[in-house]
Amino acid sequence: PPRHHPTPAGGSAARRPAAGSAAASAAPDSAGGLRSSPPKRILLLGAGMMTKPLLRYLLRRPNNTITVCSGIPGEAAALCAGRPRTFPKDLSISANSMEDQPELRALVASHDIAVSLLPAFLHVSVARQCLAEGRHLVTASYVSDEMATLDEEAKARGILLLNEMGVDPGFDHMSAMRMIAAARDAGERIVGFSSSTGGLPAPEAANNPLGYKFSWSPRGALVAARNAALFVADGARVTVPSAHLLATAKPFRAGRGFALEVLPNRDSCKYASKYGLGEDDTVGTDKAPADGIAGLFRGTLRYAGFSRQLLALAALGLLDAEPAGAGTDPILDAAAAAADGSGAAPSLLEWTASKAGTAADADAVVAAACDKADAVLAEAGSTPLTAEQREQIGVMMRFAGLLDASTPVPVLPADKRSAVDTMAALLGPKPSMNYADNERDMVIMQHTVDTVTPSGERRQRNGLMVEYERDGETAMARTVGLTAAIGAQLILDGAIPLRGVRRPVDPEVYEPVLDGLEDEGISMAETVRTLA
């Protein structure tokens, strides 16, 4: 299907030049010719893996200069090396008050826009500096409750704080809104919506038992597997407690390839109002309109087998975040004491056996882990483990070192001495849990919009995006970095009139950004089919 572009009043739809193009960097002069745009100064906060595609895009404009800041000494200089019109700056940023960060405030004041790819908890601190100095801001993170409180002030000051400009969140919102708008323009009533995304190794690089690699904090990835979830199915709300999340994974088909599974991703209901599909607090309840949507789901994609393997660890308590001490984990306490010269260091097998409630025997530990996982699956109403899945769990536990009788339990700092931190310390350094130089990553996203036509015909609109690493830039870096870069350039060009704290769910944002991403080869292939 063609792209959905709103038609301006009194004229036909016309696509504006791509934000990074030469045409977009010039403006008409009084004689009808072209003149160069004035210099634009961009402040980039963060110099991690997402920034290379962002710099590449923004530096296409000869009038753009970029100051790159990092709290890691030398990181910004390394990123700027060989890149013209970039200026590195070592700068530590905190969540403290503006008065405590005069250097950051001065930098914000001397630039035209700030792009923050810092950890999410630092964005509000940067946003306050931007408000004080009258500068726009782009981030790739979710709008926090604290960020949302800045909306009225930003509107009053004529400032745009544009958040969620990455892939998830970001491209997911924009591509979903375009599909939803296209369905409504066709006169269809939306009765269901689902969106699922995964950042995964490419199939040839999924070379460990979990089929997953750490592209962010190992601890964060493990803790995320314990989130509660809420979604709408068959017109009713479905609540998934954190202990059951991994037990609710379902097989997932993306196009005609990939053996995947999908997990509910936190609270899907809060997207009802953002996507114009209902009210957050009533969707899926008896207070919802009779013709409201019957399904609303956001999911996380993993390769098949991931969830049940992690469930075995969770069932043993190996993903618990409660700090050790006061007897909560005697083996971790004993390992810490041994490191201080008191007693023998316990082995990983002893630790796992203590969690399983068995003797320090590898086969007994695996059997107990599988039995405990089966108990959780039964509570969640899911099918029990198959023989093959039990075997896979044993392979994974050996891979993680959990059945090793000769390796001592790692000793972590007291404030990080928990089961999940220990698991992160075991899995994080393993070479096959990290990307090698010759391994590709993959971002996969699929939307489904279920509709009913005015004649009562049921239709399903499907959108699929699969992006791989290209030219040394990871798929995750491209989809996050380019989205943020295009948004920033559009703001610099005066092409986004919105103000306040925003997400990219308005056509003034998502239409030109999606066009720009398509120019970069990132798009969602859409199909429409009639259901029997």
Side-chain angles (χ1 to χ4, degrees), residues 12-246:
S12 60
R15 182 177 173 184
R16 58 170 58 92
S21 67
S25 63
D29 62 19
S30 58
L34 292 177
R35 57 179 171 79
S36 296
S37 298
K40 299 294 184 181
R41 297 160 298 177
I42 302 162
L43 178 63
L44 173 58
L45 303 172
M49 63 179 293
M50 306 299 170
T51 55
K52 291 181 181 179
L54 181 145
L55 288 176
R56 175 174 58 79
Y57 184 91
L58 291 173
L59 288 173
R60 290 178 190 166
R61 289 285 190 93
N63 58 317
N64 284 345
T65 63
I66 306 174
T67 300
V68 181
C69 299
S70 172
I72 301 174
E75 184 180 49
L79 181 64
C80 293
R83 291 183 168 88
R85 293 174 281 114
T86 61
F87 305 92
K89 176 74 174 176
D90 290 340
L91 179 69
S92 180
I93 298 173
S94 72
N96 295 335
S97 65
M98 291 189 296
E99 291 74 16
D100 295 333
Q101 301 182 85
E103 192 172 11
L104 173 60
R105 184 163 183 173
L107 282 167
V108 169
S110 63
H111 290 76
D112 297 296
I113 192 171
V115 179
S116 178
L117 295 180
L118 297 168
F121 74 94
L122 294 173
H123 292 327
V124 171
S125 178
V126 176
R128 293 188 188 281
Q129 305 278 11
C130 289
L131 289 176
E133 298 300 331
R135 298 294 184 262
H136 303 300
L137 171 67
V138 174
T139 85
S141 299
Y142 285 105
V143 174
S144 66
D145 291 342
E146 191 176 5
M147 179 70 79
T149 66
L150 303 180
D151 181 54
E152 291 302 322
E153 182 180 357
K155 289 176 179 175
R157 292 176 179 266
I159 298 301
L160 175 57
L161 305 177
L162 183 56
N163 298 271
E164 305 189 12
M165 289 294 291
V167 60
D168 181 359
F171 184 84
D172 57 345
H173 296 330
M174 295 185 287
S175 51
M177 291 303 297
R178 178 176 275 182
M179 289 178 66
I180 289 168
R184 287 185 169 141
D185 283 357
E188 299 168 19
R189 179 171 63 88
I190 297 171
V191 296
F193 173 81
S194 69
S195 173
S196 297
T197 305
L200 298 165
E204 75 278 4
N207 53 6
N208 62 60
L210 290 168
Y212 184 79
K213 292 181 186 286
F214 296 122
S215 58
W216 60 305
S217 158
R219 184 187 194 277
L222 295 174
V223 169
R226 301 286 283 166
N227 290 323
L230 177 67
F231 59 93
V232 177
D234 298 324
R237 293 193 169 205
V238 178
T239 300
V240 180
S242 59
H244 290 176
L245 180 72
L246 293 165

Side-chain angles (χ1 to χ4, degrees), residues 96 142 205 208 325 337 448-449 453 474 516 532:
N96 295 335
Y142 285 105
N208 62 60
T448 299
V449 183
T453 68
T474 69

Side-chain angles (χ1 to χ4, degrees), residues 378-447:
E379 289 176 3
S382 299
T383 58
L385 297 170
T386 65
E388 181 181 5
Q389 288 168 343
R390 284 175 167 261
E391 183 178 349
Q392 290 171 345
I393 287 169
V395 170
M396 179 273 298
M397 294 182 73
R398 285 183 172 82
F399 166 78
L402 293 170
L403 307 180
D404 194 331
S406 59
T407 301
V409 174
V411 179
L412 305 179
D415 61 337
K416 294 183 178 179
R417 197 173 299 148
S418 70
V420 72
D421 284 296
T422 303
M423 284 305 310
L426 292 173
L427 290 172
K430 289 189 176 295
S432 66
M433 291 297 298
N434 296 275
Y435 286 97
D437 290 341
N438 62 341
E439 290 181 335
R440 299 186 303 164
D441 74 326
M442 172 180 74
V443 175
I444 184 167
M445 181 183 297
Q446 182 164 294
H447 300 323

